[in-house]
Amino acid sequence: AHTSGPDSENARQNLRQIDRELGPVLEKIRAAEAQGVPVRVLLSADHGMVSVKRQVSVPEGWVAMGRAAFASSGASEESLEGASRLPGVDWVVRRTDKTLVVSRGRKKFRFALSGGECAAGPQVFVDGRCPDVAKRPEGLSRAAWTGLLEYFSAQDSPRALMFAAKDVTFEADERGSHGGLSDDEMYAPLLHRN
């Protein structure tokens, strides 16, 4: 689906192949259920995917990964500051010491980061609050916000991440991609059968 897109005939053919391969497994499940064996089936993917229509190059010092890019040690301060104003860029998230700066266009949101204990255990605090109740940037889903906080609390996280706008990828020759902050990419498809 990366080269042809998630809505392509190629993607549909792949789904039909998966369906054919799952058929015998589901038949065995039905046979077990007929003998009174309770069975629950959950099928999922590791992420969603979106269609992309154009490719945008990342500045020098940035490394492209589909619809996201990270700032390498070679990224200049100028490229970090100006990344959110580049064409095709939706969000830029940057960590500086104890602050997380989230930029979208000319809007900037600043959040103080610290350690703390929440209901889920030790977590990074945002403006002195647990992440699930902390204020998040307007337009950023709770799943995306939580993922970013976890990512930037890691010791070896890069200085900054850049995320492509809708229909844009940073990789050449892609018609389908993931790695952005949209709900379609953040949430994994799930099929449940009791």
Side-chain angles (χ1 to χ4, degrees):
H2 281 273
T3 55
S4 56
D7 301 319
S8 68
E9 180 56 34
N10 182 45
R12 284 189 287 281
Q13 285 176 1
N14 285 332
L15 287 173
R16 284 191 287 272
Q17 178 63 33
I18 291 168
D19 190 50
R20 283 190 296 275
E21 291 172 10
L22 284 174
V25 173
L26 294 175
E27 287 302 318
K28 288 182 181 188
I29 289 171
R30 284 187 197 103
E33 289 174 328
Q35 294 178 4
V37 177
V39 178
R40 180 168 290 171
V41 178
L42 295 171
L43 294 175
S44 184
D46 58 341
H47 54 74
M49 182 170 274
V50 295
S51 294
V52 292
K53 295 184 177 33
R54 65 186 175 110
Q55 188 257 338
V56 173
S57 297
V58 297
E60 187 174 332
W62 288 80
V63 178
M65 303 177 309
R67 289 182 29 80
F70 69 88
S72 71
S73 58
S76 69
E77 193 63 31
E78 184 179 294
S79 79
L80 291 170
E81 279 297 317
S84 66
R85 293 186 299 279
L86 293 172
V89 173
D90 192 15
W91 293 92
V92 175
V93 184
R94 180 178 180 200
R95 184 174 183 158
T96 58
D97 293 324
K98 301 285 184 187
T99 304
L100 196 62
V101 180
V102 182
S103 305
R104 191 175 204 188
R106 297 205 178 272
K107 281 186 174 180
K108 282 191 179 182
F109 309 90
R110 296 184 189 283
F111 301 92
L113 301 179
S114 61
E117 188 75 29
C118 298
Q123 291 185 350
V124 63
F125 268 33
V126 182
D127 293 336
R129 304 182 78 184
C130 290
D132 57 339
V133 295
K135 184 177 177 184
R136 65 181 186 272
E138 183 180 327
L140 197 58
S141 73
R142 183 171 304 281
W145 182 231
T146 303
L148 287 171
L149 292 173
E150 289 176 11
Y151 185 81
F152 279 101
S153 65
Q155 290 290 331
D156 57 350
S157 66
R159 297 183 294 164
L161 289 174
M162 177 171 31
F163 297 94
K166 183 179 180 183
D167 300 335
V168 174
T169 184
F170 297 133
E171 294 280 347
D173 302 323
E174 279 193 328
R175 295 286 178 243
S177 193
H178 55 86
L181 297 178
S182 72
D183 286 346
D184 288 340
E185 296 164 271
M186 295 293 293
Y187 295 115
L190 175 70
L191 172 73
H192 174 253
R193 180 184 172 279
N194 233 0

